[in-house]
mmCIF file of all heavy atoms in Angstrom:
data_model
loop_
_atom_site.group_PDB
_atom_site.id
_atom_site.type_symbol
_atom_site.label_atom_id
_atom_site.label_comp_id
_atom_site.label_asym_id
_atom_site.label_seq_id
_atom_site.Cartn_x
_atom_site.Cartn_y
_atom_site.Cartn_z
ATOM 1 N N VAL A 1129 17.822 -109.122 35.690
ATOM 2 C CA VAL A 1129 16.709 -109.854 35.120
ATOM 3 C C VAL A 1129 15.900 -110.699 36.111
ATOM 4 O O VAL A 1129 14.697 -110.689 36.022
ATOM 5 C CB VAL A 1129 17.314 -110.744 33.940
ATOM 6 C CG1 VAL A 1129 16.233 -111.714 33.467
ATOM 7 C CG2 VAL A 1129 17.846 -109.900 32.831
ATOM 8 N N SER A 1148 15.759 -104.500 27.471
ATOM 9 C CA SER A 1148 16.446 -104.460 26.187
ATOM 10 C C SER A 1148 15.418 -104.178 25.139
ATOM 11 O O SER A 1148 14.299 -104.607 25.166
ATOM 12 C CB SER A 1148 17.248 -105.734 25.873
ATOM 13 O OG SER A 1148 18.249 -105.967 26.758
ATOM 14 N N LYS A 1155 10.584 -111.463 26.639
ATOM 15 C CA LYS A 1155 10.531 -112.301 27.819
ATOM 16 C C LYS A 1155 9.885 -111.707 29.012
ATOM 17 O O LYS A 1155 9.636 -112.376 30.044
ATOM 18 C CB LYS A 1155 11.957 -112.752 28.148
ATOM 19 C CG LYS A 1155 12.929 -111.675 28.558
ATOM 20 C CD LYS A 1155 14.322 -112.274 28.858
ATOM 21 C CE LYS A 1155 15.460 -111.302 28.367
ATOM 22 N NZ LYS A 1155 16.747 -111.905 28.533
ATOM 23 N N TRP A 1199 29.057 -104.258 17.306
ATOM 24 C CA TRP A 1199 30.351 -104.771 17.827
ATOM 25 C C TRP A 1199 31.242 -105.208 16.626
ATOM 26 O O TRP A 1199 30.734 -105.680 15.639
ATOM 27 C CB TRP A 1199 30.063 -105.909 18.751
ATOM 28 C CG TRP A 1199 29.354 -105.628 19.991
ATOM 29 C CD1 TRP A 1199 28.038 -105.260 20.107
ATOM 30 C CD2 TRP A 1199 29.836 -105.565 21.371
ATOM 31 N NE1 TRP A 1199 27.683 -105.046 21.385
ATOM 32 C CE2 TRP A 1199 28.744 -105.283 22.184
ATOM 33 C CE3 TRP A 1199 31.093 -105.942 21.918
ATOM 34 C CZ2 TRP A 1199 28.929 -105.213 23.578
ATOM 35 C CZ3 TRP A 1199 31.213 -105.885 23.331
ATOM 36 C CH2 TRP A 1199 30.160 -105.483 24.126
ATOM 37 N N GLU A 1243 34.299 -113.083 31.690
ATOM 38 C CA GLU A 1243 32.939 -112.677 31.576
ATOM 39 C C GLU A 1243 32.321 -113.547 30.432
ATOM 40 O O GLU A 1243 32.493 -113.314 29.269
ATOM 41 C CB GLU A 1243 32.806 -111.237 31.182
ATOM 42 C CG GLU A 1243 33.937 -110.321 31.741
ATOM 43 C CD GLU A 1243 33.504 -109.782 33.107
ATOM 44 O OE1 GLU A 1243 32.344 -110.096 33.534
ATOM 45 O OE2 GLU A 1243 34.328 -109.140 33.747
ATOM 46 N N SER A 1244 31.501 -114.565 30.873
ATOM 47 C CA SER A 1244 31.033 -115.470 29.849
ATOM 48 C C SER A 1244 30.250 -114.822 28.747
ATOM 49 O O SER A 1244 30.249 -115.209 27.600
ATOM 50 C CB SER A 1244 30.169 -116.575 30.524
ATOM 51 O OG SER A 1244 28.979 -116.022 31.089
ATOM 52 N N TRP A 1245 29.497 -113.765 29.092
ATOM 53 C CA TRP A 1245 28.648 -113.085 28.112
ATOM 54 C C TRP A 1245 29.479 -112.524 26.965
ATOM 55 O O TRP A 1245 28.967 -112.362 25.807
ATOM 56 C CB TRP A 1245 27.829 -111.984 28.745
ATOM 57 C CG TRP A 1245 28.650 -110.848 29.326
ATOM 58 C CD1 TRP A 1245 29.101 -110.689 30.611
ATOM 59 C CD2 TRP A 1245 29.153 -109.671 28.612
ATOM 60 N NE1 TRP A 1245 29.868 -109.559 30.778
ATOM 61 C CE2 TRP A 1245 29.871 -108.905 29.593
ATOM 62 C CE3 TRP A 1245 29.051 -109.232 27.359
ATOM 63 C CZ2 TRP A 1245 30.511 -107.712 29.239
ATOM 64 C CZ3 TRP A 1245 29.651 -108.071 26.975
ATOM 65 C CH2 TRP A 1245 30.429 -107.290 27.960
ATOM 66 N N HIS A 1246 30.726 -112.173 27.215
ATOM 67 C CA HIS A 1246 31.529 -111.570 26.190
ATOM 68 C C HIS A 1246 31.864 -112.567 25.063
ATOM 69 O O HIS A 1246 32.049 -112.174 23.903
ATOM 70 C CB HIS A 1246 32.755 -110.977 26.769
ATOM 71 C CG HIS A 1246 33.478 -110.006 25.877
ATOM 72 N ND1 HIS A 1246 34.620 -110.293 25.134
ATOM 73 C CD2 HIS A 1246 33.191 -108.666 25.521
ATOM 74 C CE1 HIS A 1246 34.998 -109.262 24.393
ATOM 75 N NE2 HIS A 1246 34.156 -108.268 24.649
ATOM 76 N N TRP A 1247 32.037 -113.839 25.428
ATOM 77 C CA TRP A 1247 32.264 -114.846 24.395
ATOM 78 C C TRP A 1247 31.034 -114.931 23.512
ATOM 79 O O TRP A 1247 31.112 -115.144 22.293
ATOM 80 C CB TRP A 1247 32.534 -116.186 25.052
ATOM 81 C CG TRP A 1247 33.812 -116.326 25.748
ATOM 82 C CD1 TRP A 1247 34.003 -116.430 27.116
ATOM 83 C CD2 TRP A 1247 35.129 -116.369 25.172
ATOM 84 N NE1 TRP A 1247 35.383 -116.526 27.429
ATOM 85 C CE2 TRP A 1247 36.090 -116.431 26.259
ATOM 86 C CE3 TRP A 1247 35.586 -116.267 23.866
ATOM 87 C CZ2 TRP A 1247 37.465 -116.473 25.988
ATOM 88 C CZ3 TRP A 1247 36.989 -116.266 23.588
ATOM 89 C CH2 TRP A 1247 37.908 -116.438 24.679
ATOM 90 N N ALA A 1248 29.827 -114.805 24.073
ATOM 91 C CA ALA A 1248 28.611 -114.949 23.277
ATOM 92 C C ALA A 1248 28.528 -113.757 22.281
ATOM 93 O O ALA A 1248 27.909 -113.946 21.207
ATOM 94 C CB ALA A 1248 27.382 -114.947 24.216
ATOM 95 N N ILE A 1249 29.070 -112.617 22.593
ATOM 96 C CA ILE A 1249 29.082 -111.538 21.670
ATOM 97 C C ILE A 1249 29.754 -111.894 20.311
ATOM 98 O O ILE A 1249 29.252 -111.505 19.237
ATOM 99 C CB ILE A 1249 29.729 -110.275 22.245
ATOM 100 C CG1 ILE A 1249 29.042 -109.764 23.474
ATOM 101 C CG2 ILE A 1249 29.932 -109.194 21.248
ATOM 102 C CD1 ILE A 1249 27.593 -109.247 23.167
ATOM 103 N N TRP A 1250 30.826 -112.716 20.401
ATOM 104 C CA TRP A 1250 31.458 -113.153 19.188
ATOM 105 C C TRP A 1250 30.472 -113.839 18.197
ATOM 106 O O TRP A 1250 30.327 -113.486 17.071
ATOM 107 C CB TRP A 1250 32.580 -114.101 19.480
ATOM 108 C CG TRP A 1250 33.849 -113.510 20.163
ATOM 109 C CD1 TRP A 1250 33.927 -113.053 21.408
ATOM 110 C CD2 TRP A 1250 35.079 -113.306 19.523
ATOM 111 N NE1 TRP A 1250 35.225 -112.585 21.643
ATOM 112 C CE2 TRP A 1250 35.935 -112.771 20.501
ATOM 113 C CE3 TRP A 1250 35.609 -113.582 18.280
ATOM 114 C CZ2 TRP A 1250 37.289 -112.433 20.278
ATOM 115 C CZ3 TRP A 1250 36.934 -113.255 18.033
ATOM 116 C CH2 TRP A 1250 37.776 -112.683 19.003
ATOM 117 N N LEU A 1251 29.749 -114.819 18.780
ATOM 118 C CA LEU A 1251 28.835 -115.625 17.954
ATOM 119 C C LEU A 1251 27.598 -114.783 17.579
ATOM 120 O O LEU A 1251 27.056 -114.949 16.442
ATOM 121 C CB LEU A 1251 28.435 -116.926 18.685
ATOM 122 C CG LEU A 1251 27.541 -117.848 17.928
ATOM 123 C CD1 LEU A 1251 28.198 -118.324 16.648
ATOM 124 C CD2 LEU A 1251 27.172 -119.062 18.840
ATOM 125 N N SER A 1252 27.099 -114.013 18.551
ATOM 126 C CA SER A 1252 25.926 -113.157 18.280
ATOM 127 C C SER A 1252 26.097 -112.338 17.025
ATOM 128 O O SER A 1252 25.174 -112.142 16.240
ATOM 129 C CB SER A 1252 25.605 -112.317 19.471
ATOM 130 O OG SER A 1252 24.590 -111.438 19.221
ATOM 131 N N ASN A 1253 27.301 -111.748 16.895
ATOM 132 C CA ASN A 1253 27.540 -110.829 15.774
ATOM 133 C C ASN A 1253 27.834 -111.482 14.458
ATOM 134 O O ASN A 1253 27.942 -110.878 13.433
ATOM 135 C CB ASN A 1253 28.736 -109.936 16.169
ATOM 136 C CG ASN A 1253 28.266 -108.784 17.072
ATOM 137 O OD1 ASN A 1253 27.970 -107.701 16.644
ATOM 138 N ND2 ASN A 1253 28.178 -109.065 18.407
ATOM 139 N N ASP A 1432 22.077 -108.213 15.271
ATOM 140 C CA ASP A 1432 22.774 -109.356 15.912
ATOM 141 C C ASP A 1432 21.764 -110.286 16.556
ATOM 142 O O ASP A 1432 20.604 -109.992 16.672
ATOM 143 C CB ASP A 1432 23.811 -108.860 16.865
ATOM 144 C CG ASP A 1432 23.288 -108.067 18.039
ATOM 145 O OD1 ASP A 1432 22.100 -108.304 18.480
ATOM 146 O OD2 ASP A 1432 23.960 -107.125 18.539
ATOM 147 N N MET A 1433 22.228 -111.461 16.939
ATOM 148 C CA MET A 1433 21.293 -112.473 17.492
ATOM 149 C C MET A 1433 20.838 -112.167 18.888
ATOM 150 O O MET A 1433 19.797 -112.587 19.288
ATOM 151 C CB MET A 1433 21.972 -113.882 17.385
ATOM 152 C CG MET A 1433 22.161 -114.361 15.971
ATOM 153 S SD MET A 1433 22.524 -116.155 15.820
ATOM 154 C CE MET A 1433 24.272 -116.143 16.323
ATOM 155 N N GLU A 1434 21.665 -111.393 19.584
ATOM 156 C CA GLU A 1434 21.185 -110.985 20.960
ATOM 157 C C GLU A 1434 19.873 -110.248 20.916
ATOM 158 O O GLU A 1434 18.986 -110.428 21.700
ATOM 159 C CB GLU A 1434 22.260 -110.114 21.630
ATOM 160 C CG GLU A 1434 21.832 -109.606 22.949
ATOM 161 C CD GLU A 1434 22.847 -108.681 23.601
ATOM 162 O OE1 GLU A 1434 23.883 -108.364 22.984
ATOM 163 O OE2 GLU A 1434 22.527 -108.154 24.746
ATOM 164 N N TYR A 1435 19.675 -109.395 19.841
ATOM 165 C CA TYR A 1435 18.488 -108.608 19.775
ATOM 166 C C TYR A 1435 17.461 -109.228 18.743
ATOM 167 O O TYR A 1435 16.343 -108.764 18.737
ATOM 168 C CB TYR A 1435 18.906 -107.195 19.336
ATOM 169 C CG TYR A 1435 19.506 -106.333 20.460
ATOM 170 C CD1 TYR A 1435 20.869 -106.298 20.519
ATOM 171 C CD2 TYR A 1435 18.711 -105.768 21.413
ATOM 172 C CE1 TYR A 1435 21.471 -105.565 21.577
ATOM 173 C CE2 TYR A 1435 19.246 -105.025 22.434
ATOM 174 C CZ TYR A 1435 20.661 -104.945 22.510
ATOM 175 O OH TYR A 1435 21.244 -104.301 23.563
ATOM 176 N N GLY A 1436 17.934 -110.175 17.917
ATOM 177 C CA GLY A 1436 17.040 -110.632 16.876
ATOM 178 C C GLY A 1436 16.524 -112.060 16.998
ATOM 179 O O GLY A 1436 15.654 -112.468 16.203
ATOM 180 N N VAL A 1437 17.098 -112.816 17.915
ATOM 181 C CA VAL A 1437 16.728 -114.189 18.074
ATOM 182 C C VAL A 1437 16.135 -114.498 19.445
ATOM 183 O O VAL A 1437 16.653 -114.149 20.499
ATOM 184 C CB VAL A 1437 17.912 -115.130 17.858
ATOM 185 C CG1 VAL A 1437 17.588 -116.577 18.135
ATOM 186 C CG2 VAL A 1437 18.452 -114.995 16.432
ATOM 187 N N LEU A 1438 14.891 -115.035 19.413
ATOM 188 C CA LEU A 1438 14.275 -115.371 20.700
ATOM 189 C C LEU A 1438 15.028 -116.364 21.567
ATOM 190 O O LEU A 1438 15.668 -117.303 21.028
ATOM 191 C CB LEU A 1438 12.848 -116.026 20.383
ATOM 192 C CG LEU A 1438 11.746 -115.126 20.079
ATOM 193 C CD1 LEU A 1438 10.479 -115.943 19.607
ATOM 194 C CD2 LEU A 1438 11.354 -114.276 21.278
ATOM 195 N N TYR A 1439 14.968 -116.097 22.871
ATOM 196 C CA TYR A 1439 15.547 -117.011 23.829
ATOM 197 C C TYR A 1439 17.066 -117.144 23.750
ATOM 198 O O TYR A 1439 17.720 -118.112 24.071
ATOM 199 C CB TYR A 1439 14.968 -118.380 23.776
ATOM 200 C CG TYR A 1439 13.428 -118.367 23.768
ATOM 201 C CD1 TYR A 1439 12.668 -119.119 22.876
ATOM 202 C CD2 TYR A 1439 12.754 -117.536 24.643
ATOM 203 C CE1 TYR A 1439 11.277 -119.057 22.860
ATOM 204 C CE2 TYR A 1439 11.362 -117.472 24.699
ATOM 205 C CZ TYR A 1439 10.580 -118.250 23.724
ATOM 206 O OH TYR A 1439 9.230 -118.135 23.739
ATOM 207 N N TRP A 1440 17.748 -116.036 23.195
ATOM 208 C CA TRP A 1440 19.149 -115.964 23.191
ATOM 209 C C TRP A 1440 19.598 -115.450 24.540
ATOM 210 O O TRP A 1440 19.090 -114.358 24.991
ATOM 211 C CB TRP A 1440 19.668 -115.076 22.073
ATOM 212 C CG TRP A 1440 21.166 -114.814 22.044
ATOM 213 C CD1 TRP A 1440 21.857 -113.898 22.764
ATOM 214 C CD2 TRP A 1440 22.111 -115.513 21.305
ATOM 215 N NE1 TRP A 1440 23.167 -114.020 22.508
ATOM 216 C CE2 TRP A 1440 23.337 -115.064 21.652
ATOM 217 C CE3 TRP A 1440 22.051 -116.631 20.418
ATOM 218 C CZ2 TRP A 1440 24.568 -115.491 21.017
ATOM 219 C CZ3 TRP A 1440 23.192 -117.099 19.865
ATOM 220 C CH2 TRP A 1440 24.437 -116.533 20.143
ATOM 221 N N ASP A 1441 20.496 -116.095 25.223
ATOM 222 C CA ASP A 1441 20.994 -115.678 26.514
ATOM 223 C C ASP A 1441 22.515 -115.602 26.478
ATOM 224 O O ASP A 1441 23.192 -116.601 26.412
ATOM 225 C CB ASP A 1441 20.525 -116.662 27.592
ATOM 226 C CG ASP A 1441 20.859 -116.239 29.028
ATOM 227 O OD1 ASP A 1441 21.977 -115.640 29.229
ATOM 228 O OD2 ASP A 1441 20.004 -116.299 29.923
ATOM 229 N N ASN A 1442 23.035 -114.390 26.487
ATOM 230 C CA ASN A 1442 24.471 -114.207 26.285
ATOM 231 C C ASN A 1442 25.284 -114.996 27.416
ATOM 232 O O ASN A 1442 26.336 -115.555 27.123
ATOM 233 C CB ASN A 1442 24.883 -112.751 26.405
ATOM 234 C CG ASN A 1442 24.760 -112.021 25.092
ATOM 235 O OD1 ASN A 1442 24.781 -112.671 24.055
ATOM 236 N ND2 ASN A 1442 24.669 -110.675 25.144
ATOM 237 N N THR A 1443 24.817 -114.946 28.611
ATOM 238 C CA THR A 1443 25.474 -115.577 29.694
ATOM 239 C C THR A 1443 25.597 -117.130 29.458
ATOM 240 O O THR A 1443 26.680 -117.713 29.593
ATOM 241 C CB THR A 1443 24.822 -115.311 31.036
ATOM 242 O OG1 THR A 1443 24.839 -113.911 31.305
ATOM 243 C CG2 THR A 1443 25.561 -116.031 32.170
ATOM 244 N N ILE A 1444 24.470 -117.737 29.105
ATOM 245 C CA ILE A 1444 24.446 -119.223 28.932
ATOM 246 C C ILE A 1444 25.213 -119.609 27.709
ATOM 247 O O ILE A 1444 25.969 -120.541 27.679
ATOM 248 C CB ILE A 1444 22.954 -119.692 28.877
ATOM 249 C CG1 ILE A 1444 22.242 -119.352 30.196
ATOM 250 C CG2 ILE A 1444 22.937 -121.204 28.599
ATOM 251 C CD1 ILE A 1444 22.839 -119.931 31.433
ATOM 252 N N VAL A 1445 24.979 -118.850 26.557
ATOM 253 C CA VAL A 1445 25.619 -119.208 25.369
ATOM 254 C C VAL A 1445 27.197 -119.053 25.559
ATOM 255 O O VAL A 1445 27.989 -119.878 25.107
ATOM 256 C CB VAL A 1445 25.187 -118.260 24.209
ATOM 257 C CG1 VAL A 1445 26.085 -118.440 22.948
ATOM 258 C CG2 VAL A 1445 23.759 -118.575 23.856
ATOM 259 N N GLY A 1446 27.541 -117.983 26.279
ATOM 260 C CA GLY A 1446 29.026 -117.789 26.575
ATOM 261 C C GLY A 1446 29.589 -118.931 27.385
ATOM 262 O O GLY A 1446 30.830 -119.290 27.184
ATOM 263 N N GLN A 1447 28.870 -119.478 28.308
ATOM 264 C CA GLN A 1447 29.326 -120.601 29.070
ATOM 265 C C GLN A 1447 29.571 -121.823 28.220
ATOM 266 O O GLN A 1447 30.596 -122.545 28.455
ATOM 267 C CB GLN A 1447 28.298 -120.909 30.206
ATOM 268 C CG GLN A 1447 28.310 -119.846 31.314
ATOM 269 C CD GLN A 1447 27.200 -120.012 32.274
ATOM 270 O OE1 GLN A 1447 26.360 -120.937 32.133
ATOM 271 N NE2 GLN A 1447 27.165 -119.197 33.307
ATOM 272 N N TYR A 1448 28.701 -122.093 27.275
ATOM 273 C CA TYR A 1448 28.926 -123.143 26.373
ATOM 274 C C TYR A 1448 30.150 -122.949 25.505
ATOM 275 O O TYR A 1448 30.982 -123.928 25.240
ATOM 276 C CB TYR A 1448 27.689 -123.426 25.439
ATOM 277 C CG TYR A 1448 26.519 -123.915 26.176
ATOM 278 C CD1 TYR A 1448 25.240 -123.367 25.988
ATOM 279 C CD2 TYR A 1448 26.592 -124.942 27.101
ATOM 280 C CE1 TYR A 1448 24.104 -123.869 26.601
ATOM 281 C CE2 TYR A 1448 25.484 -125.475 27.786
ATOM 282 C CZ TYR A 1448 24.253 -124.865 27.545
ATOM 283 O OH TYR A 1448 23.163 -125.363 28.203
ATOM 284 N N ILE A 1449 30.399 -121.749 25.116
ATOM 285 C CA ILE A 1449 31.593 -121.423 24.333
ATOM 286 C C ILE A 1449 32.859 -121.587 25.160
ATOM 287 O O ILE A 1449 33.881 -122.095 24.686
ATOM 288 C CB ILE A 1449 31.516 -119.967 23.727
ATOM 289 C CG1 ILE A 1449 30.385 -119.901 22.761
ATOM 290 C CG2 ILE A 1449 32.873 -119.575 23.089
ATOM 291 C CD1 ILE A 1449 30.132 -118.505 22.119
ATOM 292 N N GLN A 1450 32.803 -121.201 26.419
ATOM 293 C CA GLN A 1450 33.935 -121.455 27.303
ATOM 294 C C GLN A 1450 34.272 -122.911 27.367
ATOM 295 O O GLN A 1450 35.455 -123.350 27.413
ATOM 296 C CB GLN A 1450 33.617 -120.907 28.702
ATOM 297 C CG GLN A 1450 33.668 -119.420 28.819
ATOM 298 C CD GLN A 1450 33.166 -118.895 30.163
ATOM 299 O OE1 GLN A 1450 32.267 -119.517 30.798
ATOM 300 N NE2 GLN A 1450 33.745 -117.798 30.659
ATOM 301 N N ILE A 1466 22.719 -125.266 23.111
ATOM 302 C CA ILE A 1466 21.950 -124.074 22.864
ATOM 303 C C ILE A 1466 20.543 -124.406 22.396
ATOM 304 O O ILE A 1466 19.515 -123.835 22.842
ATOM 305 C CB ILE A 1466 22.680 -123.117 21.847
ATOM 306 C CG1 ILE A 1466 23.984 -122.602 22.457
ATOM 307 C CG2 ILE A 1466 21.749 -121.904 21.521
ATOM 308 C CD1 ILE A 1466 24.853 -121.859 21.473
ATOM 309 N N ASP A 1469 18.332 -125.740 25.259
ATOM 310 C CA ASP A 1469 17.852 -124.702 26.112
ATOM 311 C C ASP A 1469 16.691 -123.914 25.535
ATOM 312 O O ASP A 1469 15.725 -123.630 26.145
ATOM 313 C CB ASP A 1469 18.965 -123.767 26.472
ATOM 314 C CG ASP A 1469 20.008 -124.318 27.445
ATOM 315 O OD1 ASP A 1469 19.665 -125.428 28.056
ATOM 316 O OD2 ASP A 1469 21.116 -123.811 27.544
#
Side-chain angles (χ1 to χ4, degrees):
V1129 171
S1148 296
K1155 60 182 145 185
W1199 296 67
E1243 325 276 356
S1244 65
W1245 64 266
H1246 196 259
W1247 291 111
I1249 295 296
W1250 289 74
L1251 183 59
S1252 173
N1253 281 264
D1432 62 31
M1433 291 194 287
E1434 178 184 0
Y1435 288 96
V1437 174
L1438 277 171
Y1439 311 133
W1440 175 275
D1441 186 318
N1442 275 339
T1443 299
I1444 301 301
V1445 171
Q1447 289 172 354
Y1448 290 136
I1449 294 176
Q1450 287 174 325
I1466 294 171
D1469 286 345

